[in-house]
Amino acid sequence: MEILIPLVVIAVIVVFVISLYNRLVTMRQRVREAWADIDVQLKRRWDLIPNLIETVKGYAAHERQTFESVTQARAAAITAAQSGSPEQRAQAETALGAALVNLRAVAEAYPQLQAVQEFKDLSENLRDTEDKIAFARRFYNGNVRDYNTAIQSVPTNILAGMFGFAAEQYFEMTDPAQREVPKVSFS
């Protein structure tokens, strides 16, 4: 009987540690999944941009600087996606959003463009994608918040330190003026 009590205590501790570890692994996976959701939406946005530019070019060929800035911002966002931190990616995506706002301003100067069905479809898809990006950012940041809270809370922080669970970065803008999601509306 005296040997049974320490074994039960050890078993309870082992089960508790395993439970905490599994909880941390699950939370880390949720963060990674949420990050992958952001990637999907950003890729969708990047894929829409060349078609949108080509459609607008047909009506506003002299707006070369605007097209180049959108193309450069898109390339910078793709590069940041391959090697950047969430903060670097957020900055690149914000620059792309600003370039798209400029493209929208060019498009608004051409009423005949507003009537083209292809342009309307692309605009609607872009608007939908921007909404999905905003949702994916919120979802990712919520998972990061929960995960970071868990790895910093007692007693989980002890286990997190032992097994190398590191805090994740939020996907947020560093410049307060950039914090607003660009509203792209072509209609």
Side-chain angles (χ1 to χ4, degrees), residues 14-137:
V14 167
V15 167
F16 179 72
V17 168
I18 290 171
S19 172
L20 285 180
Y21 180 83
N22 288 341
R23 180 173 167 245
L24 289 174
V25 168
T26 300
M27 294 177 90
R28 182 173 56 192
Q29 288 306 108
R30 284 184 184 151
V31 167
R32 290 178 181 165
E33 177 188 17
W35 186 252
D37 289 346
I38 289 175
D39 274 342
V40 167
Q41 296 308 322
L42 294 177
K43 171 118 177 50
R44 182 175 178 215
R45 178 206 250 177
W46 304 335
D47 291 346
L48 285 170
I49 290 170
N51 295 330
L52 188 62
I53 289 174
E54 288 305 314
T55 303
V56 175
K57 265 186 187 178
Y59 289 85
H62 63 281
E63 299 286 353
R64 183 178 166 169
Q65 178 60 37
T66 301
F67 303 134
E68 287 176 3
S69 69
V70 171
T71 302
Q72 289 171 354
R74 178 182 178 265
I78 291 171
T79 300
Q82 295 168 351
S83 61
S85 68
E87 182 179 347
Q88 292 166 328
R89 289 188 70 181
Q91 290 173 350
E93 290 299 332
T94 299
L96 179 56
L100 288 172
V101 168
N102 290 338
L103 182 62
R104 184 188 111 244
V106 168
E108 286 176 353
Y110 297 89
Q112 69 274 26
L113 178 61
Q114 303 292 325
V116 175
Q117 188 60 41
E118 180 184 10
F119 180 76
K120 287 180 180 179
D121 293 343
L122 287 168
S123 299
E124 182 62 35
N125 281 329
L126 185 60
R127 208 173 306 127
D128 182 49
T129 299
E130 291 296 333
D131 290 343
K132 288 178 180 180
I133 290 169
F135 174 78
R137 282 179 179 165

Side-chain angles (χ1 to χ4, degrees), residues 5-21 155 159 162-163:
I5 292 175
L7 287 176
V8 169
V9 169
I10 290 172
V12 168
I13 290 172
V14 167
V15 167
F16 179 72
V17 168
I18 290 171
S19 172
L20 285 180
Y21 180 83
L159 188 67
M162 288 172 41
F163 288 104

Side-chain angles (χ1 to χ4, degrees), residues 133-149:
I133 290 169
F135 174 78
R137 282 179 179 165
R138 286 190 304 270
F139 183 71
Y140 170 78
N141 285 337
N143 279 302
V144 167
R145 179 201 59 228
D146 294 345
Y147 173 74
N148 287 347
T149 300

